[in-house]
Amino acid sequence: MDFNLSEEHEAVQFAARDFAQNVLSAGIIERDNDQKFDKALIKKMGDLGFLSMMVKPEYGGGGMDTISYVIAMEEISKVDASAAVIMSVNNSLVCWGIQAYGTDEQKEKYLTRLSSGDEIGAFCLSEPEAGSDATSQHTTAEDMGDHYLLNGTKNWITNGNSSGICLVIAQTHPEKGHKGINVLIVEKGSPGFTVGRKEDKMGIRASDTHTLMFTDVKVPKENRIGEDGFGFKFAMTVLNGGRIGIAAQALGIAAGAFELSLKYAQERKTFGKPISDHQAIQFKLAEMATRIEAARLLVYKAARLKDLGKDYIQAAAMAKLFASDVAMWVTTEAVQVHGGYGYVKEYHVERMMRDAKITQIYEGTSEIQKLVIARELLK
Ligand code: CAA
Protein backbone atom coordinates (compact mmCIF):
# COMPACT_ATOMS: atom_id res chain seq x y z
CA MET A 1 0.00 0.00 0.00
CA ASP A 2 1.48 3.32 -1.10
CA PHE A 3 0.21 6.47 0.59
CA ASN A 4 2.20 8.79 -1.68
CA LEU A 5 0.62 10.58 -4.62
CA SER A 6 2.04 9.80 -8.04
CA GLU A 7 3.66 12.59 -10.08
CA GLU A 8 0.50 12.83 -12.20
CA HIS A 9 -1.69 13.16 -9.13
CA GLU A 10 0.61 15.80 -7.68
CA ALA A 11 0.35 17.73 -10.94
CA VAL A 12 -3.47 17.62 -10.76
CA GLN A 13 -3.31 18.79 -7.15
CA PHE A 14 -1.01 21.66 -8.06
CA ALA A 15 -3.19 22.78 -10.99
CA ALA A 16 -6.43 22.63 -8.99
CA ARG A 17 -4.87 24.41 -6.00
CA ASP A 18 -3.46 27.13 -8.24
CA PHE A 19 -6.82 27.69 -9.95
CA ALA A 20 -8.75 27.68 -6.66
CA GLN A 21 -6.43 29.98 -4.75
CA ASN A 22 -5.61 32.41 -7.55
CA VAL A 23 -8.81 32.51 -9.58
CA LEU A 24 -11.80 31.17 -7.64
CA SER A 25 -10.90 32.99 -4.43
CA ALA A 26 -11.44 36.43 -6.01
CA GLY A 27 -15.00 37.63 -5.45
CA ILE A 28 -16.04 34.61 -3.44
CA ILE A 29 -17.80 36.63 -0.72
CA GLU A 30 -19.74 38.64 -3.29
CA ARG A 31 -20.78 35.53 -5.22
CA ASP A 32 -22.06 34.01 -1.98
CA ASN A 33 -23.86 37.21 -0.95
CA ASP A 34 -25.47 37.77 -4.35
CA GLN A 35 -26.10 34.08 -5.12
CA LYS A 36 -24.18 34.72 -8.31
CA PHE A 37 -23.55 31.82 -10.64
CA ASP A 38 -20.48 33.08 -12.53
CA LYS A 39 -20.70 31.68 -16.05
CA ALA A 40 -17.24 32.91 -17.07
CA LEU A 41 -15.60 31.19 -14.11
CA ILE A 42 -17.33 27.91 -14.87
CA LYS A 43 -16.26 28.20 -18.50
CA LYS A 44 -12.68 28.63 -17.25
CA MET A 45 -13.08 25.44 -15.22
CA GLY A 46 -14.16 23.70 -18.42
CA ASP A 47 -11.19 25.11 -20.36
CA LEU A 48 -8.85 23.76 -17.69
CA GLY A 49 -10.48 20.33 -17.86
CA PHE A 50 -12.07 20.28 -14.40
CA LEU A 51 -15.59 19.65 -15.70
CA SER A 52 -14.83 16.42 -17.54
CA MET A 53 -11.89 14.88 -15.75
CA MET A 54 -12.92 11.24 -16.26
CA VAL A 55 -14.35 11.66 -19.76
CA LYS A 56 -12.33 9.90 -22.44
CA PRO A 57 -10.03 12.18 -24.50
CA GLU A 58 -11.89 11.34 -27.74
CA TYR A 59 -14.90 13.20 -26.27
CA GLY A 60 -12.80 16.12 -25.08
CA GLY A 61 -12.23 14.94 -21.52
CA GLY A 62 -9.12 14.42 -19.42
CA GLY A 63 -9.27 10.61 -19.38
CA MET A 64 -8.19 10.67 -15.74
CA ASP A 65 -8.92 8.35 -12.85
CA THR A 66 -11.22 8.91 -9.87
CA ILE A 67 -8.27 9.63 -7.57
CA SER A 68 -7.35 12.62 -9.76
CA TYR A 69 -10.95 13.76 -9.61
CA VAL A 70 -11.18 13.65 -5.79
CA ILE A 71 -7.82 15.41 -5.46
CA ALA A 72 -9.09 18.24 -7.66
CA MET A 73 -12.46 18.30 -5.88
CA GLU A 74 -10.71 18.70 -2.52
CA GLU A 75 -8.60 21.64 -3.72
CA ILE A 76 -11.52 23.43 -5.39
CA SER A 77 -13.78 22.83 -2.35
CA LYS A 78 -11.17 24.27 0.03
CA VAL A 79 -11.89 27.63 -1.56
CA ASP A 80 -15.27 27.51 -3.32
CA ALA A 81 -17.77 24.78 -2.44
CA SER A 82 -20.27 26.21 -4.93
CA ALA A 83 -17.91 25.74 -7.87
CA ALA A 84 -17.18 22.28 -6.48
CA VAL A 85 -20.79 21.10 -6.58
CA ILE A 86 -21.19 22.36 -10.15
CA MET A 87 -18.05 20.39 -11.00
CA SER A 88 -19.19 17.32 -9.10
CA VAL A 89 -22.63 17.06 -10.72
CA ASN A 90 -21.17 17.56 -14.18
CA ASN A 91 -18.35 15.03 -13.69
CA SER A 92 -19.83 12.24 -11.65
CA LEU A 93 -23.57 12.27 -12.27
CA VAL A 94 -23.92 13.56 -15.81
CA CYS A 95 -20.69 12.88 -17.76
CA TRP A 96 -19.83 9.64 -16.02
CA GLY A 97 -23.41 8.38 -16.43
CA ILE A 98 -23.46 9.09 -20.17
CA GLN A 99 -19.96 7.66 -20.63
CA ALA A 100 -20.75 4.46 -18.72
CA TYR A 101 -24.20 3.73 -20.16
CA GLY A 102 -24.83 5.98 -23.18
CA THR A 103 -24.75 4.94 -26.83
CA ASP A 104 -21.83 6.03 -29.03
CA GLU A 105 -24.12 8.64 -30.58
CA GLN A 106 -25.12 10.01 -27.15
CA LYS A 107 -21.47 10.17 -26.08
CA GLU A 108 -20.45 11.94 -29.28
CA LYS A 109 -23.35 14.38 -29.14
CA TYR A 110 -23.37 15.25 -25.44
CA LEU A 111 -20.00 14.50 -23.83
CA THR A 112 -18.10 16.78 -26.18
CA ARG A 113 -20.43 19.67 -25.30
CA LEU A 114 -20.30 18.89 -21.58
CA SER A 115 -16.51 18.69 -21.61
CA SER A 116 -15.97 22.14 -23.10
CA GLY A 117 -17.60 24.11 -20.31
CA ASP A 118 -19.84 25.80 -22.90
CA GLU A 119 -22.67 23.74 -21.47
CA ILE A 120 -23.07 22.02 -18.13
CA GLY A 121 -25.34 19.21 -17.08
CA ALA A 122 -28.01 18.66 -14.43
CA PHE A 123 -29.20 15.47 -12.79
CA CYS A 124 -32.94 15.53 -12.20
CA LEU A 125 -34.09 12.87 -9.75
CA SER A 126 -35.62 14.67 -6.75
CA GLU A 127 -39.23 15.77 -6.76
CA PRO A 128 -41.49 17.59 -4.31
CA GLU A 129 -42.52 14.17 -2.95
CA ALA A 130 -39.49 12.10 -3.89
CA GLY A 131 -36.30 13.02 -2.05
CA SER A 132 -34.90 10.15 0.00
CA ASP A 133 -37.74 7.95 -1.28
CA ALA A 134 -36.44 8.16 -4.82
CA THR A 135 -38.44 5.26 -6.28
CA SER A 136 -41.61 7.29 -5.72
CA GLN A 137 -41.33 9.15 -9.04
CA HIS A 138 -44.37 11.21 -10.07
CA THR A 139 -42.79 12.59 -13.24
CA THR A 140 -44.00 10.50 -16.16
CA ALA A 141 -42.40 9.62 -19.50
CA GLU A 142 -45.26 8.23 -21.56
CA ASP A 143 -44.15 5.95 -24.39
CA MET A 144 -45.56 7.43 -27.62
CA GLY A 145 -43.79 5.11 -30.06
CA ASP A 146 -40.94 7.20 -31.50
CA HIS A 147 -40.76 9.58 -28.52
CA TYR A 148 -41.61 10.03 -24.85
CA LEU A 149 -44.01 12.64 -23.53
CA LEU A 150 -42.51 14.03 -20.36
CA ASN A 151 -44.66 15.58 -17.62
CA GLY A 152 -43.79 16.53 -14.07
CA THR A 153 -41.77 18.68 -11.70
CA LYS A 154 -38.22 18.26 -10.40
CA ASN A 155 -36.99 20.00 -7.25
CA TRP A 156 -33.67 21.29 -5.87
CA ILE A 157 -31.87 20.77 -9.16
CA THR A 158 -28.21 21.80 -9.04
CA ASN A 159 -27.27 23.73 -12.24
CA GLY A 160 -31.03 24.01 -12.79
CA ASN A 161 -30.93 27.26 -14.72
CA SER A 162 -27.40 27.13 -16.07
CA SER A 163 -27.48 23.63 -17.51
CA GLY A 164 -28.10 22.92 -21.18
CA ILE A 165 -28.34 19.16 -20.86
CA CYS A 166 -30.48 17.45 -18.22
CA LEU A 167 -30.73 13.80 -17.24
CA VAL A 168 -34.35 13.40 -16.20
CA ILE A 169 -35.59 10.37 -14.30
CA ALA A 170 -39.26 9.57 -14.98
CA GLN A 171 -41.78 6.77 -14.64
CA THR A 172 -42.92 5.01 -17.83
CA HIS A 173 -44.53 1.84 -16.48
CA PRO A 174 -46.01 2.59 -13.01
CA GLU A 175 -47.20 -1.01 -12.66
CA LYS A 176 -43.56 -2.13 -12.67
CA GLY A 177 -42.51 0.16 -9.81
CA HIS A 178 -38.84 1.16 -9.91
CA LYS A 179 -38.26 -1.25 -12.80
CA GLY A 180 -40.54 0.93 -14.97
CA ILE A 181 -38.45 4.08 -14.55
CA ASN A 182 -36.40 5.58 -17.41
CA VAL A 183 -33.68 8.20 -17.70
CA LEU A 184 -33.89 10.62 -20.60
CA ILE A 185 -31.48 13.23 -21.91
CA VAL A 186 -33.51 16.42 -22.21
CA GLU A 187 -32.14 19.57 -23.78
CA LYS A 188 -32.87 23.02 -22.41
CA GLY A 189 -35.07 24.90 -24.84
CA SER A 190 -37.28 21.92 -25.62
CA PRO A 191 -40.87 23.18 -25.92
CA GLY A 192 -42.73 22.66 -22.62
CA PHE A 193 -39.53 22.68 -20.52
CA THR A 194 -39.53 25.62 -18.09
CA VAL A 195 -37.18 26.69 -15.34
CA GLY A 196 -39.00 27.51 -12.13
CA ARG A 197 -38.03 29.32 -8.98
CA LYS A 198 -34.48 29.67 -7.74
CA GLU A 199 -33.93 28.44 -4.19
CA ASP A 200 -32.58 30.95 -1.68
CA LYS A 201 -30.15 28.63 0.08
CA MET A 202 -28.21 28.59 3.35
CA GLY A 203 -24.96 27.59 1.63
CA ILE A 204 -23.38 26.81 -1.75
CA ARG A 205 -25.13 30.00 -2.77
CA ALA A 206 -23.11 30.61 -5.93
CA SER A 207 -24.48 27.42 -7.46
CA ASP A 208 -27.94 27.73 -8.94
CA THR A 209 -30.62 25.43 -7.62
CA HIS A 210 -34.00 25.49 -9.29
CA THR A 211 -37.31 23.76 -9.74
CA LEU A 212 -37.76 22.46 -13.30
CA MET A 213 -41.12 21.85 -14.93
CA PHE A 214 -41.96 19.61 -17.86
CA THR A 215 -45.29 19.90 -19.66
CA ASP A 216 -45.80 17.57 -22.63
CA VAL A 217 -42.11 17.76 -23.51
CA LYS A 218 -41.38 15.54 -26.50
CA VAL A 219 -38.15 13.59 -25.97
CA PRO A 220 -36.88 11.41 -28.84
CA LYS A 221 -36.55 7.71 -28.05
CA GLU A 222 -32.85 7.83 -28.91
CA ASN A 223 -32.38 10.08 -25.86
CA ARG A 224 -33.18 7.28 -23.42
CA ILE A 225 -30.08 5.93 -21.69
CA GLY A 226 -29.95 2.14 -21.46
CA GLU A 227 -32.75 -0.36 -21.83
CA ASP A 228 -36.41 0.41 -21.13
CA GLY A 229 -36.76 0.46 -17.32
CA PHE A 230 -33.06 1.04 -16.57
CA GLY A 231 -33.58 4.56 -15.18
CA PHE A 232 -33.66 3.80 -11.46
CA LYS A 233 -30.67 1.49 -11.58
CA PHE A 234 -28.88 4.20 -13.56
CA ALA A 235 -29.70 6.81 -10.93
CA MET A 236 -28.52 4.61 -8.06
CA THR A 237 -25.33 3.63 -9.86
CA VAL A 238 -24.27 7.15 -10.79
CA LEU A 239 -25.12 8.29 -7.26
CA ASN A 240 -22.67 5.73 -5.87
CA GLY A 241 -19.94 7.56 -7.78
CA GLY A 242 -21.50 10.96 -7.07
CA ARG A 243 -21.21 10.27 -3.37
CA ILE A 244 -17.44 9.97 -3.73
CA GLY A 245 -17.44 13.44 -5.31
CA ILE A 246 -19.55 14.92 -2.52
CA ALA A 247 -17.38 13.19 0.09
CA ALA A 248 -14.38 14.90 -1.56
CA GLN A 249 -16.25 18.19 -1.48
CA ALA A 250 -16.90 17.75 2.26
CA LEU A 251 -13.25 16.85 2.79
CA GLY A 252 -12.18 20.00 0.96
CA ILE A 253 -14.52 22.25 2.92
CA ALA A 254 -13.12 20.81 6.16
CA ALA A 255 -9.51 21.08 4.96
CA GLY A 256 -10.04 24.68 3.82
CA ALA A 257 -11.51 25.69 7.18
CA PHE A 258 -8.68 23.92 8.97
CA GLU A 259 -5.96 25.68 6.95
CA LEU A 260 -7.51 29.06 7.74
CA SER A 261 -7.75 28.14 11.42
CA LEU A 262 -4.14 26.98 11.59
CA LYS A 263 -2.95 30.26 10.10
CA TYR A 264 -5.24 32.43 12.20
CA ALA A 265 -4.27 30.63 15.41
CA GLN A 266 -0.62 31.55 14.86
CA GLU A 267 -1.39 35.20 14.11
CA ARG A 268 -4.05 36.06 16.66
CA LYS A 269 -2.76 36.90 20.13
CA THR A 270 -4.59 36.68 23.45
CA PHE A 271 -3.13 36.95 26.95
CA GLY A 272 0.19 38.01 25.43
CA LYS A 273 0.78 35.06 23.10
CA PRO A 274 -0.55 33.52 19.88
CA ILE A 275 -3.71 31.53 20.57
CA SER A 276 -1.92 28.51 19.06
CA ASP A 277 0.16 28.49 22.26
CA HIS A 278 -3.00 27.81 24.28
CA GLN A 279 -3.68 24.13 24.79
CA ALA A 280 -7.42 24.63 24.25
CA ILE A 281 -6.70 25.72 20.66
CA GLN A 282 -3.95 23.12 20.12
CA PHE A 283 -6.39 20.34 21.00
CA LYS A 284 -8.93 21.69 18.55
CA LEU A 285 -6.34 21.85 15.76
CA ALA A 286 -5.09 18.35 16.55
CA GLU A 287 -8.57 16.88 16.43
CA MET A 288 -9.49 18.75 13.26
CA ALA A 289 -6.35 17.47 11.49
CA THR A 290 -6.93 13.89 12.65
CA ARG A 291 -10.56 13.77 11.53
CA ILE A 292 -9.66 15.32 8.15
CA GLU A 293 -6.93 12.74 7.59
CA ALA A 294 -9.37 9.91 8.40
CA ALA A 295 -11.93 11.38 5.98
CA ARG A 296 -9.27 11.67 3.26
CA LEU A 297 -8.35 8.00 3.63
CA LEU A 298 -12.00 6.96 3.25
CA VAL A 299 -12.44 9.19 0.19
CA TYR A 300 -9.27 7.86 -1.46
CA LYS A 301 -10.25 4.27 -0.65
CA ALA A 302 -13.66 4.65 -2.32
CA ALA A 303 -12.06 6.33 -5.35
CA ARG A 304 -9.39 3.64 -5.63
CA LEU A 305 -11.97 0.83 -5.47
CA LYS A 306 -13.90 2.53 -8.27
CA ASP A 307 -10.73 2.82 -10.37
CA LEU A 308 -9.97 -0.86 -9.79
CA GLY A 309 -13.45 -1.81 -10.99
CA LYS A 310 -14.33 -3.24 -7.59
CA ASP A 311 -17.57 -2.78 -5.64
CA TYR A 312 -17.53 0.65 -4.02
CA ILE A 313 -21.15 1.14 -2.91
CA GLN A 314 -20.37 0.75 0.79
CA ALA A 315 -17.04 2.58 0.62
CA ALA A 316 -18.66 5.56 -1.14
CA ALA A 317 -21.48 5.73 1.40
CA MET A 318 -19.02 5.49 4.31
CA ALA A 319 -16.82 8.21 2.81
CA LYS A 320 -19.76 10.56 2.34
CA LEU A 321 -21.27 9.84 5.74
CA PHE A 322 -17.99 10.38 7.57
CA ALA A 323 -16.55 13.24 5.53
CA SER A 324 -19.77 15.26 5.69
CA ASP A 325 -19.87 14.94 9.48
CA VAL A 326 -16.20 15.95 9.59
CA ALA A 327 -16.97 18.98 7.42
CA MET A 328 -19.77 20.09 9.73
CA TRP A 329 -17.70 19.52 12.88
CA VAL A 330 -14.46 21.07 11.60
CA THR A 331 -16.16 24.18 10.18
CA THR A 332 -18.06 24.72 13.45
CA GLU A 333 -14.77 24.45 15.36
CA ALA A 334 -13.10 26.74 12.83
CA VAL A 335 -15.66 29.45 13.61
CA GLN A 336 -14.94 28.87 17.31
CA VAL A 337 -11.16 29.18 16.81
CA HIS A 338 -11.73 32.48 14.99
CA GLY A 339 -14.05 33.75 17.76
CA GLY A 340 -15.94 36.92 16.83
CA TYR A 341 -14.03 37.18 13.56
CA GLY A 342 -15.27 33.72 12.63
CA TYR A 343 -18.83 34.93 12.78
CA VAL A 344 -18.35 37.56 10.07
CA LYS A 345 -18.10 36.97 6.35
CA GLU A 346 -14.64 38.43 5.78
CA TYR A 347 -12.94 35.47 7.45
CA HIS A 348 -14.65 32.84 5.25
CA VAL A 349 -15.21 30.17 7.90
CA GLU A 350 -18.87 31.11 8.52
CA ARG A 351 -19.53 30.50 4.78
CA MET A 352 -17.73 27.19 5.00
CA MET A 353 -19.91 26.19 7.96
CA ARG A 354 -23.03 27.03 5.92
CA ASP A 355 -21.62 25.23 2.87
CA ALA A 356 -20.74 22.13 4.90
CA LYS A 357 -24.34 21.44 5.94
CA ILE A 358 -25.55 20.45 2.48
CA THR A 359 -22.99 17.63 2.27
CA GLN A 360 -25.01 15.81 4.95
CA ILE A 361 -28.14 16.20 2.80
CA TYR A 362 -27.67 15.99 -0.96
CA GLU A 363 -26.83 12.88 -3.02
CA GLY A 364 -28.43 10.90 -0.19
CA THR A 365 -28.79 12.19 3.38
CA SER A 366 -26.57 10.81 6.15
CA GLU A 367 -29.51 8.64 7.17
CA ILE A 368 -29.72 7.17 3.64
CA GLN A 369 -25.94 6.53 3.69
CA LYS A 370 -26.39 4.55 6.93
CA LEU A 371 -29.18 2.58 5.30
CA VAL A 372 -26.98 1.84 2.27
CA ILE A 373 -24.07 0.77 4.51
CA ALA A 374 -26.29 -1.42 6.70
CA ARG A 375 -27.82 -3.11 3.64
CA GLU A 376 -24.35 -3.88 2.31
CA LEU A 377 -23.25 -5.25 5.69
CA LEU A 378 -26.31 -7.47 5.98
CA LYS A 379 -26.28 -8.78 2.37
N1 CAA B 1 -26.45 0.99 -6.04
C1 CAA B 1 -26.98 0.23 -7.03
N2 CAA B 1 -28.25 -0.19 -7.01
C2 CAA B 1 -29.00 0.19 -5.95
C3 CAA B 1 -28.50 0.96 -4.89
C4 CAA B 1 -27.16 1.37 -4.97
N3 CAA B 1 -26.60 2.13 -4.02
N4 CAA B 1 -29.50 1.17 -3.99
C5 CAA B 1 -30.57 0.54 -4.46
N5 CAA B 1 -30.28 -0.05 -5.65
C6 CAA B 1 -31.16 -0.86 -6.50
C7 CAA B 1 -31.60 -2.11 -5.78
O1 CAA B 1 -30.69 -3.15 -5.99
C8 CAA B 1 -32.94 -2.37 -6.43
O2 CAA B 1 -32.76 -2.94 -7.70
P1 CAA B 1 -33.31 -4.44 -8.03
O3 CAA B 1 -34.77 -4.42 -7.72
O4 CAA B 1 -32.98 -4.65 -9.46
O5 CAA B 1 -32.55 -5.35 -7.10
C9 CAA B 1 -33.47 -0.97 -6.70
O6 CAA B 1 -32.34 -0.10 -6.74
C10 CAA B 1 -34.45 -0.49 -5.65
O7 CAA B 1 -33.78 -0.55 -4.41
P2 CAA B 1 -34.54 -0.84 -3.07
O8 CAA B 1 -35.51 -1.97 -3.23
O9 CAA B 1 -33.47 -0.97 -2.02
O10 CAA B 1 -35.39 0.51 -2.91
P3 CAA B 1 -35.77 1.31 -1.61
O11 CAA B 1 -36.86 2.22 -2.02
O12 CAA B 1 -35.97 0.39 -0.45
O13 CAA B 1 -34.44 2.15 -1.27
C11 CAA B 1 -32.90 3.97 -1.62
C12 CAA B 1 -33.80 2.91 -2.25
C13 CAA B 1 -31.55 3.35 -1.37
C14 CAA B 1 -33.43 4.55 -0.35
C15 CAA B 1 -32.82 5.04 -2.73
O14 CAA B 1 -34.12 5.56 -2.96
C16 CAA B 1 -31.88 6.17 -2.41
O15 CAA B 1 -30.67 6.04 -2.58
N6 CAA B 1 -32.43 7.36 -2.00
C17 CAA B 1 -31.66 8.56 -1.89
C18 CAA B 1 -31.79 9.36 -3.17
C19 CAA B 1 -30.68 10.32 -3.38
O16 CAA B 1 -29.52 10.04 -3.11
N7 CAA B 1 -31.02 11.49 -3.93
C20 CAA B 1 -30.05 12.44 -4.28
C21 CAA B 1 -30.65 13.40 -5.26
S1 CAA B 1 -29.54 13.84 -6.51
C22 CAA B 1 -28.63 15.12 -5.90
O17 CAA B 1 -28.65 15.45 -4.74
C23 CAA B 1 -27.74 15.71 -6.92
C24 CAA B 1 -27.40 17.14 -6.69
O18 CAA B 1 -28.03 18.00 -7.25
C25 CAA B 1 -26.22 17.50 -5.88
Side-chain angles (χ1 to χ4, degrees), residues 62-73:
M64 292 181 206
D65 59 10
T66 317
I67 296 278
S68 302
Y69 168 55
V70 297
I71 287 171
M73 275 294 296

PDB file of all heavy atoms in Angstrom, residues 62-73:
ATOM      1  N   GLY A  62     -10.492  14.580 -19.891  1.00  0.00           N
ATOM      2  CA  GLY A  62      -9.118  14.416 -19.422  1.00  0.00           C
ATOM      3  C   GLY A  62      -8.666  12.971 -19.364  1.00  0.00           C
ATOM      4  O   GLY A  62      -7.469  12.705 -19.218  1.00  0.00           O
ATOM      5  N   GLY A  63      -9.616  12.023 -19.435  1.00  0.00           N
ATOM      6  CA  GLY A  63      -9.269  10.606 -19.382  1.00  0.00           C
ATOM      7  C   GLY A  63      -8.565  10.226 -18.081  1.00  0.00           C
ATOM      8  O   GLY A  63      -7.741   9.323 -18.060  1.00  0.00           O
ATOM      9  N   MET A  64      -8.904  10.921 -17.010  1.00  0.00           N
ATOM     10  CA  MET A  64      -8.195  10.673 -15.736  1.00  0.00           C
ATOM     11  C   MET A  64      -8.949   9.684 -14.863  1.00  0.00           C
ATOM     12  O   MET A  64     -10.086   9.319 -15.130  1.00  0.00           O
ATOM     13  CB  MET A  64      -8.037  11.987 -14.984  1.00  0.00           C
ATOM     14  CG  MET A  64      -7.102  12.947 -15.664  1.00  0.00           C
ATOM     15  SD  MET A  64      -6.959  14.440 -14.681  1.00  0.00           S
ATOM     16  CE  MET A  64      -6.542  15.589 -15.949  1.00  0.00           C
ATOM     17  N   ASP A  65      -8.286   9.293 -13.765  1.00  0.00           N
ATOM     18  CA  ASP A  65      -8.922   8.353 -12.846  1.00  0.00           C
ATOM     19  C   ASP A  65      -9.697   9.099 -11.746  1.00  0.00           C
ATOM     20  O   ASP A  65      -9.665  10.336 -11.678  1.00  0.00           O
ATOM     21  CB  ASP A  65      -7.877   7.394 -12.254  1.00  0.00           C
ATOM     22  CG  ASP A  65      -6.768   8.117 -11.510  1.00  0.00           C
ATOM     23  OD1 ASP A  65      -6.895   9.343 -11.285  1.00  0.00           O
ATOM     24  OD2 ASP A  65      -5.779   7.464 -11.134  1.00  0.00           O
ATOM     25  N   THR A  66     -10.380   8.306 -10.920  1.00  0.00           N
ATOM     26  CA  THR A  66     -11.219   8.909  -9.874  1.00  0.00           C
ATOM     27  C   THR A  66     -10.363   9.557  -8.784  1.00  0.00           C
ATOM     28  O   THR A  66     -10.788  10.524  -8.157  1.00  0.00           O
ATOM     29  CB  THR A  66     -12.146   7.833  -9.263  1.00  0.00           C
ATOM     30  OG1 THR A  66     -12.668   7.037 -10.323  1.00  0.00           O
ATOM     31  CG2 THR A  66     -13.298   8.446  -8.514  1.00  0.00           C
ATOM     32  N   ILE A  67      -9.166   9.020  -8.562  1.00  0.00           N
ATOM     33  CA  ILE A  67      -8.271   9.628  -7.569  1.00  0.00           C
ATOM     34  C   ILE A  67      -7.941  11.068  -7.993  1.00  0.00           C
ATOM     35  O   ILE A  67      -7.996  11.995  -7.175  1.00  0.00           O
ATOM     36  CB  ILE A  67      -6.965   8.802  -7.404  1.00  0.00           C
ATOM     37  CG1 ILE A  67      -7.259   7.402  -6.856  1.00  0.00           C
ATOM     38  CG2 ILE A  67      -5.965   9.546  -6.540  1.00  0.00           C
ATOM     39  CD1 ILE A  67      -7.435   7.297  -5.360  1.00  0.00           C
ATOM     40  N   SER A  68      -7.636  11.251  -9.276  1.00  0.00           N
ATOM     41  CA  SER A  68      -7.347  12.617  -9.763  1.00  0.00           C
ATOM     42  C   SER A  68      -8.541  13.530  -9.499  1.00  0.00           C
ATOM     43  O   SER A  68      -8.389  14.679  -9.069  1.00  0.00           O
ATOM     44  CB  SER A  68      -7.081  12.617 -11.266  1.00  0.00           C
ATOM     45  OG  SER A  68      -6.014  11.770 -11.586  1.00  0.00           O
ATOM     46  N   TYR A  69      -9.717  12.987  -9.781  1.00  0.00           N
ATOM     47  CA  TYR A  69     -10.947  13.759  -9.606  1.00  0.00           C
ATOM     48  C   TYR A  69     -11.143  14.187  -8.145  1.00  0.00           C
ATOM     49  O   TYR A  69     -11.433  15.354  -7.858  1.00  0.00           O
ATOM     50  CB  TYR A  69     -12.112  12.910 -10.133  1.00  0.00           C
ATOM     51  CG  TYR A  69     -13.489  13.387  -9.800  1.00  0.00           C
ATOM     52  CD1 TYR A  69     -13.913  14.674 -10.123  1.00  0.00           C
ATOM     53  CD2 TYR A  69     -14.403  12.539  -9.164  1.00  0.00           C
ATOM     54  CE1 TYR A  69     -15.199  15.098  -9.807  1.00  0.00           C
ATOM     55  CE2 TYR A  69     -15.683  12.956  -8.869  1.00  0.00           C
ATOM     56  CZ  TYR A  69     -16.069  14.239  -9.186  1.00  0.00           C
ATOM     57  OH  TYR A  69     -17.338  14.655  -8.867  1.00  0.00           O
ATOM     58  N   VAL A  70     -10.948  13.262  -7.196  1.00  0.00           N
ATOM     59  CA  VAL A  70     -11.181  13.653  -5.793  1.00  0.00           C
ATOM     60  C   VAL A  70     -10.092  14.616  -5.297  1.00  0.00           C
ATOM     61  O   VAL A  70     -10.369  15.490  -4.467  1.00  0.00           O
ATOM     62  CB  VAL A  70     -11.340  12.442  -4.833  1.00  0.00           C
ATOM     63  CG1 VAL A  70     -12.563  11.622  -5.189  1.00  0.00           C
ATOM     64  CG2 VAL A  70     -10.101  11.569  -4.748  1.00  0.00           C
ATOM     65  N   ILE A  71      -8.899  14.467  -5.838  1.00  0.00           N
ATOM     66  CA  ILE A  71      -7.822  15.405  -5.461  1.00  0.00           C
ATOM     67  C   ILE A  71      -8.215  16.822  -5.916  1.00  0.00           C
ATOM     68  O   ILE A  71      -8.110  17.786  -5.155  1.00  0.00           O
ATOM     69  CB  ILE A  71      -6.482  14.974  -6.103  1.00  0.00           C
ATOM     70  CG1 ILE A  71      -5.938  13.734  -5.389  1.00  0.00           C
ATOM     71  CG2 ILE A  71      -5.468  16.112  -6.064  1.00  0.00           C
ATOM     72  CD1 ILE A  71      -4.739  13.091  -6.076  1.00  0.00           C
ATOM     73  N   ALA A  72      -8.686  16.919  -7.145  1.00  0.00           N
ATOM     74  CA  ALA A  72      -9.093  18.237  -7.661  1.00  0.00           C
ATOM     75  C   ALA A  72     -10.303  18.764  -6.907  1.00  0.00           C
ATOM     76  O   ALA A  72     -10.365  19.946  -6.553  1.00  0.00           O
ATOM     77  CB  ALA A  72      -9.394  18.141  -9.158  1.00  0.00           C
ATOM     78  N   MET A  73     -11.263  17.886  -6.635  1.00  0.00           N
ATOM     79  CA  MET A  73     -12.462  18.303  -5.880  1.00  0.00           C
ATOM     80  C   MET A  73     -12.064  18.866  -4.519  1.00  0.00           C
ATOM     81  O   MET A  73     -12.623  19.868  -4.061  1.00  0.00           O
ATOM     82  CB  MET A  73     -13.409  17.107  -5.679  1.00  0.00           C
ATOM     83  CG  MET A  73     -14.359  16.824  -6.819  1.00  0.00           C
ATOM     84  SD  MET A  73     -15.584  18.125  -7.093  1.00  0.00           S
ATOM     85  CE  MET A  73     -16.521  18.083  -5.592  1.00  0.00           C
TER      86      MET A  73
END
